[in-house]
Amino acid sequence: MTAQTAPTSDDSGTPQNTPRLAAAVVLAAGEGTRMRSTTPKLLHTIGGRSLLGHVLTATRELDARRTAVVVRHQAERVAEHARAIAEGVLVVEQDELPGTGAAVRSALSVLDAAAHADRAAHGVPLGQEGQVLGAGLEGPVLVVAGDLPLLDSGTLGELVASHVADGNAVTVLTTVVADPTGYGRVVREDGTGDVLRIVEHRDASPEELAVAEINTSVYVFDAGVLRAGLARITQHNAQGELYLTDVVALAREDGGQVRAILSEDAHAVEGVNDRVQLAALGRILNARILEDWMRAGVTIVDPATTWIDVDVDLAPDVTILPGTQLHGATVVSTGATIGPDTTLTDVEVGEGAVVSRTHASLSVIGAGANVGPFAYLRPGSVLGEKGKIGTFVETKNVRIGAGSKVPHLSYVGDATIGEGTNIGAASIFVNYDGVHKHHTTIGSHARTGADNLFVAPVTVGDGAYTGAGSVIRQDVPAGALGVSAGAQRNIEGWVERRRPGTAAAQAAAAARGEGSEPTGNDDSSDDAVVPATEPATLTGAMPALGAQALRELAKHADAADQPRPTSPHSEALDDTLTIRTARTEGTDR
Ligand code: UD1
Ligand code: CA
């Protein structure tokens, strides 16, 4: 950013005693037709914050005595949002007249009244009619369009400082754009470079249209100059509107000095008019956020596929893998690794946790915990230190204690799980009876079997076990084994009797030492021959595995699982590997 005029302030360019802004006025009454949306334009978001929110955040840092937001189109919605995000903001409804001049006029009348009220409250004597003496608002007034989400407080601060230092009547923030079509053009005086007037596109002469320096709709006005100018502007222009920009020429007429500050960061002053611009500015904002985090010590492997909202907080030495989105008030502690392909919204992640291919919201992941791949944490999921929510696991409103694990294929809703407990694979916490939700409590150091149903409300005590396939409807006391499945029955010869001629029947016959070898599976594909006997071999089922991969697998198989040829197919191969298919019930960790 450079001042186009010779600065009259001290060498630093930023005077020490810049008076406080009397007011900031944010223009938010426009319709935003080009968004083609039922949502008011300024409520659309980038970086997890509304356009209006971005502008109010930038202006808040200037600490204006009062901030007014002017609304009209969908006034209630915009007003409610403004009050929700900016405490103490004055919401002003624009009167019937169209245009930015009308908008600021409405704001000024409310700000004048507030200034009177302030003086009365501070014991300034009342006039004869009970009226408070004084003109109303005094001092510098910032006016900003609400649709400039990348505007930063630094730029605004410089604008105010230079306005005050130069003793300007009006200071305009301008920029030079490649295509100025539609914008108000800034007409400067030869020699001084002072601003003579701003001409709207539709009112401009051919020479004026050739000017590439445009008005950004960010200004500082002296309150008195603004009041005097707004009293005299008219609707005699191409759009029949009251133009705020006309105050510039009127200020000059009255002998005031009007200067422009040229912003070299065109994006910072770029308005959003449609969704194409919304996306473009969203990407620029995101790139800036990522750069800030990388400089602060966060590893972001692929900035092109990483999205981080403005309010997210990351510690140094966090690693973000490709395809990750961090939204809302997400906080990630040092040493944690997030991603790939993970979306966290309002999630707290503890030190050194690993969260991969996960979708989570309003949840807490403890230090050293492990989540995913393919986990879905719904609101209220709290995972303790070194805990695990594994693959294809959905959780909701659950406290999982330190070191406890839900490793595979489970739904855990409305539950409390103690410490050091393992929940078997494919378990469902049956929390809904069709009318009400109920709670399940599992104690500490419990081991529940695979494929359990916990029909809430139900409690499993500390150190208790449950058998595989159990439907736990009654409490299991501490240290007990809860089993509900009946004893297994084997109906001998059933397959050959009831499914004659199938591959299964042939395999059964072969296993008894009769009949022929199975010729293949039922859909006669050659490449997925299921071995006839236990232990099964991998060679038949995975012909594509290379020798190296098989050696790797063999390393991980335990001693009992050493290569053991079981069929003529496997004997023909060098790297045959045998694994047991019948797993111990309850599965693992
Ligand atoms: C305005 C400026 C133009 C500048 C351009 C930058 C005027 C007359 N023209 O153009 O010089 O180059 O912004 O984008 O000011 N608004 C209201 N009430 C209204 C109309 C608008 O509050 O009656 C608000 C809008 O919500 C928006 C801002 O004012 O935040 C600018 O309005 P917009 O219509 O986008 O700008 P223009 O009038 O085209
Ligand atoms: Ca307009």
Side-chain angles (χ1 to χ4, degrees):
M1 187 158 102
T2 50
Q4 288 287 290
T5 54
T8 54
S9 54
D10 61 55
D11 290 347
S12 74
T14 313
Q16 300 299 319
N17 301 316
T18 300
R20 194 174 173 195
L21 272 180
V25 176
V26 178
L27 304 181
E31 197 174 342
T33 1
R34 279 173 284 168
M35 294 298 283
R36 299 184 180 276
S37 177
T38 54
T39 300
K41 176 171 94 175
L42 299 187
L43 269 50
H44 283 261
T45 63
I46 59 173
R49 184 180 280 163
S50 68
L51 301 182
L52 183 59
H54 283 287
V55 172
L56 284 171
T57 302
T59 58
R60 180 161 43 222
E61 283 178 42
L62 300 188
D63 193 30
R65 237 176 239 120
R66 286 191 194 284
T67 299
V69 175
V70 186
V71 299
R72 182 170 63 191
H73 179 72
Q74 294 209 43
E76 255 328 295
R77 262 182 93 179
V78 181
E80 197 182 312
H81 179 68
R83 287 194 192 100
I85 59 175
E87 213 183 303
V89 80
L90 277 176
V91 175
V92 176
E93 197 141 350
Q94 183 176 339
D95 62 25
E96 285 312 299
L97 297 172
T100 49
V104 177
R105 220 192 237 177
S106 298
L108 190 60
S109 71
V110 171
L111 288 165
D112 278 341
H116 282 141
D118 275 353
R119 280 199 203 97
H122 288 92
V124 175
L126 295 177
Q128 285 183 324
E129 251 74 46
Q131 292 289 103
V132 178
L133 296 172
L137 195 69
E138 283 170 16
V141 179
L142 175 75
V143 176
V144 188
D147 59 0
L148 306 172
L150 297 195
L151 193 61
D152 60 291
S153 58
T155 301
L156 291 177
E158 284 178 57
L159 188 72
V160 176
S162 129
H163 174 88
V164 172
D166 293 357
N168 294 344
V170 185
T171 310
V172 190
L173 185 66
T174 65
T175 193
V176 171
V177 292
D179 178 13
T181 306
Y183 290 104
R185 308 301 208 280
V186 177
V187 181
R188 291 182 184 252
E189 185 177 52
D190 287 342
T192 62
D194 281 8
V195 178
L196 292 175
R197 61 184 178 279
I198 295 172
V199 187
E200 291 308 295
H201 183 96
R202 287 167 64 180
D203 303 288
S205 66
E207 300 103 79
E208 288 164 342
L209 286 177
V211 174
E213 185 180 11
I214 60 143
N215 167 30
T216 64
S217 272
V218 180
Y219 327 71
V220 181
F221 293 91
D222 172 76
V225 170
L226 187 60
R227 189 179 301 104
L230 288 175
R232 281 139 69 199
I233 56 173
T234 70
Q235 288 169 258
H236 301 141
N237 52 54
Q239 299 184 77
E241 292 183 357
L242 287 167
Y243 290 163
L244 175 63
T245 44
D246 284 352
V247 172
V248 166
L250 293 168
R252 286 277 304 194
E253 254 173 47
D254 293 347
Q257 173 173 272
V258 182
R259 285 184 169 165
I261 296 279
L262 181 73
S263 169
E264 281 163 356
D265 178 2
H267 296 310
V269 291
E270 199 173 327
V272 171
N273 291 302
D274 59 27
R275 299 195 203 217
V276 176
Q277 287 170 313
L278 185 75
L281 288 190
R283 185 166 280 287
I284 292 163
L285 173 65
N286 187 57
R288 290 179 180 181
I289 292 169
L290 298 186
E291 261 175 55
D292 286 348
W293 284 124
M294 288 187 273
R295 290 188 206 292
V298 172
T299 295
I300 296 175
V301 174
D302 184 17
T305 62
T306 302
W307 291 83
I308 299 181
D309 281 356
V310 283
D311 287 329
V312 168
D313 194 13
L314 307 176
D317 283 325
V318 161
T319 300
I320 313 275
L321 300 177
T324 295
Q325 302 183 35
L326 304 180
H327 296 302
T330 292
V331 178
V332 184
S333 297
T334 190
T337 300
I338 313 293
D341 302 330
T342 291
T343 301
L344 306 183
T345 305
D346 301 318
V347 174
E348 199 182 308
V349 180
E351 234 177 275
V354 175
V355 182
S356 92
R357 295 190 202 273
T358 290
H359 192 99
S361 54
L362 276 169
S363 293
V364 178
I365 295 167
N370 205 298
V371 176
F374 308 107
Y376 180 28
L377 278 62
R378 291 163 53 202
S381 298
V382 180
L383 177 62
E385 221 175 278
K386 296 194 173 128
K388 182 181 176 77
I389 292 174
T391 304
F392 303 121
V393 174
E394 174 181 344
T395 62
K396 184 214 72 175
N397 186 30
V398 57
R399 294 188 154 267
I400 300 173
S404 285
K405 295 175 180 177
V406 186
H408 329 276
L409 299 154
S410 294
Y411 170 67
V412 186
D414 299 312
T416 309
I417 298 173
E419 296 184 359
T421 284
N422 190 80
I423 303 299
S427 291
I428 303 294
F429 285 56
V430 183
N431 58 335
Y432 188 47
D433 63 11
V435 182
H436 297 109
K437 297 280 172 70
H438 299 283
H439 197 86
T440 296
T441 303
I442 311 264
S444 292
H445 304 288
R447 294 279 177 274
T448 68
D451 202 15
N452 276 198
L453 300 179
F454 297 98
V455 183
V458 76
T459 298
V460 175
D462 289 347
Y465 275 52
T466 63
S470 292
V471 180
I472 303 297
R473 296 177 190 275
Q474 287 154 32
D475 292 355
V476 180
L481 168 67
V483 266
S484 75
Q488 180 173 328
R489 281 195 309 149
N490 293 334
I491 314 226
E492 295 291 347
W494 186 92
V495 173
E496 282 169 88
R497 282 199 310 279
R498 306 297 291 266
R499 298 289 182 272
T502 62
Q506 288 172 39
R512 284 190 291 103
E514 288 173 19
S516 55
E517 282 289 309
T519 51
N521 61 7
D522 286 348
D523 49 12
S524 4
S525 85
D526 291 332
D527 58 358
V529 178
V530 180
T533 53
E534 301 276 359
T537 67
L538 273 180
T539 50
M542 300 182 188
L545 276 187
Q548 179 59 35
L550 285 169
R551 269 192 292 275
E552 281 303 314
L553 264 173
K555 270 191 233 156
H556 291 100
D558 56 17
D561 293 337
Q562 285 315 298
R564 193 147 48 98
T566 56
S567 78
H569 310 290
S570 58
E571 262 160 4
L573 290 165
D574 293 339
D575 288 291
T576 302
L577 172 72
T578 309
I579 60 168
R580 273 201 299 258
T581 52
R583 300 301 305 261
T584 329
E585 76 174 22
T587 70
D588 56 357
R589 312 130 275 274

